Amino acid sequence: MAVMPAQSAEKLRIGVVPGAYADSINAAAKEARAQGIEVEVIEFTDWTTPNVAVNNGDIDINYFQHQPFLNNAIAKQGFKLRSADTGILANVGLYSLKHNDVNAVPLNGKVGIANDPVNQGRGLLLLQKAGLIKLKPDVGYLGTLDDIVENPRNLSFVEVEGPQLVRITGDVDIAQGYPHFIVAAQAFDPSSGLAYSGIEDAQFAIQFVVKEGREQDPLIRQFIGIYQQSPEVKAVTRQSFNNDDRLYTLAWTRK
């Protein structure tokens, strides 16, 4: 996607990926335009290009990733990026269309899990929290399947891209799931999770990511303020998460 550099002092170009986060940004953008800020929301279809675009100065902000994902991208790609502030925290869940309880997952059962390093680590932490596996000490969110040290049920793992987990949930015994993707797919009840990551996973709140040195840019601060104070953003977000307060948190309200 070719984009022109962001230059106007009163214009913001914000990169998103489709779904709940984009919907909330669009709601804030409408309010910002009413206050005289020209906001262009640009949708990307992958989780790499938005960081390249901010790093190159083609857009001003992206809003799709949590801090561990950003940290990994900076370490791997050398991006000069920083978080300007915090947005929505989407709770990851464990879902099953075959069992009504985590303890019902059988010996030799199958588990659906994200295939990218950071989100797979997040899923593994939740599986450990639920008592299904045990990881190496202090492996944190960078854990992989190789870091499982105890697997008493001899579970096997099916690795797919995060947004596709909703599509394989019926084919496995239990799967990592993202409530906002489940809402969008209308595949099953997003409030039927057997376990959730919870608000203690605050490091996984979505971040407003900008180029290093722009964290206090007045226009960026103004837009983030509009977003965080907007009743419409809160309403759109709640709808995107099935009107279920267990499925997400407005992380900026919990600082």
Side-chain angles (χ1 to χ4, degrees):
M1 176 182 297
V3 291
M4 297 297 291
Q7 296 177 344
S8 171
E10 297 303 317
K11 179 176 181 179
L12 286 176
R13 307 191 87 185
I14 304 175
V16 297
V17 294
Y21 307 138
D23 293 344
S24 69
I25 289 291
N26 277 307
K30 183 177 179 180
E31 294 189 26
R33 293 183 193 112
Q35 297 185 30
I37 303 173
E38 185 181 348
V39 179
E40 182 179 1
V41 181
I42 301 167
E43 287 198 353
F44 294 88
T45 57
D46 66 274
W47 290 352
T48 300
T49 313
N51 279 335
V52 174
V54 173
N55 195 67
N56 291 346
D58 296 328
I59 63 175
D60 301 286
I61 307 169
N62 69 48
Y63 186 74
F64 77 99
Q65 65 194 312
H66 48 59
Q67 190 68 48
F69 189 98
L70 175 61
N71 292 344
N72 189 62
I74 291 170
K76 299 289 186 183
Q77 302 296 330
F79 293 136
K80 301 296 184 182
L81 302 176
R82 294 290 184 271
S83 169
D85 217 320
T86 298
I88 300 166
L89 167 58
N91 288 345
V92 170
L94 292 178
Y95 292 87
S96 178
L97 299 181
K98 297 180 179 180
H99 311 292
N100 294 322
D101 190 277
V102 168
N103 293 323
V105 175
L107 292 174
N108 304 310
K110 290 185 178 181
V111 180
I113 196 163
N115 66 358
D116 68 281
V118 172
N119 286 303
Q120 181 169 111
R122 190 180 184 191
L124 290 172
L125 288 173
L126 183 51
L127 287 164
Q128 178 173 254
K129 178 182 176 181
L132 291 173
I133 62 169
K134 187 174 181 180
L135 299 168
K136 293 177 183 176
D138 302 319
V139 70
Y141 59 78
L142 293 178
T144 70
L145 298 179
D146 292 335
D147 294 309
I148 298 173
V149 294
E150 292 183 20
N151 183 5
R153 303 187 193 209
N154 194 35
L155 303 172
S156 59
F157 295 84
V158 180
E159 300 175 81
V160 300
E161 293 184 7
Q164 301 305 315
L165 284 163
V166 63
R167 302 185 185 279
I168 70 158
T169 300
D171 301 324
V172 298
D173 288 283
I174 197 167
Q176 176 183 356
Y178 299 86
H180 50 294
F181 289 139
I182 297 169
V183 171
Q186 299 182 339
F188 51 87
D189 182 4
S191 298
S192 64
L194 305 183
Y196 296 103
S197 58
I199 59 172
E200 65 268 24
D201 258 352
Q203 64 183 328
F204 294 109
I206 299 303
Q207 303 296 308
F208 291 90
V209 173
V210 301
K211 196 164 185 177
E212 188 176 32
R214 296 197 69 193
E215 298 94 323
Q216 298 302 323
D217 181 295
L219 198 60
I220 289 171
R221 299 306 320 166
Q222 185 178 354
F223 179 81
I224 293 173
I226 292 169
Y227 181 99
Q228 293 181 342
Q229 296 166 24
S230 167
E232 184 62 20
V233 165
K234 293 177 182 178
V236 166
T237 299
R238 194 164 195 275
Q239 184 176 10
S240 295
F241 286 92
N242 203 40
N243 299 310
D244 187 343
D245 293 337
R246 298 175 304 161
L247 303 186
Y248 73 101
T249 300
L250 303 178
W252 66 89
T253 68
R254 296 179 177 270
K255 290 182 179 180

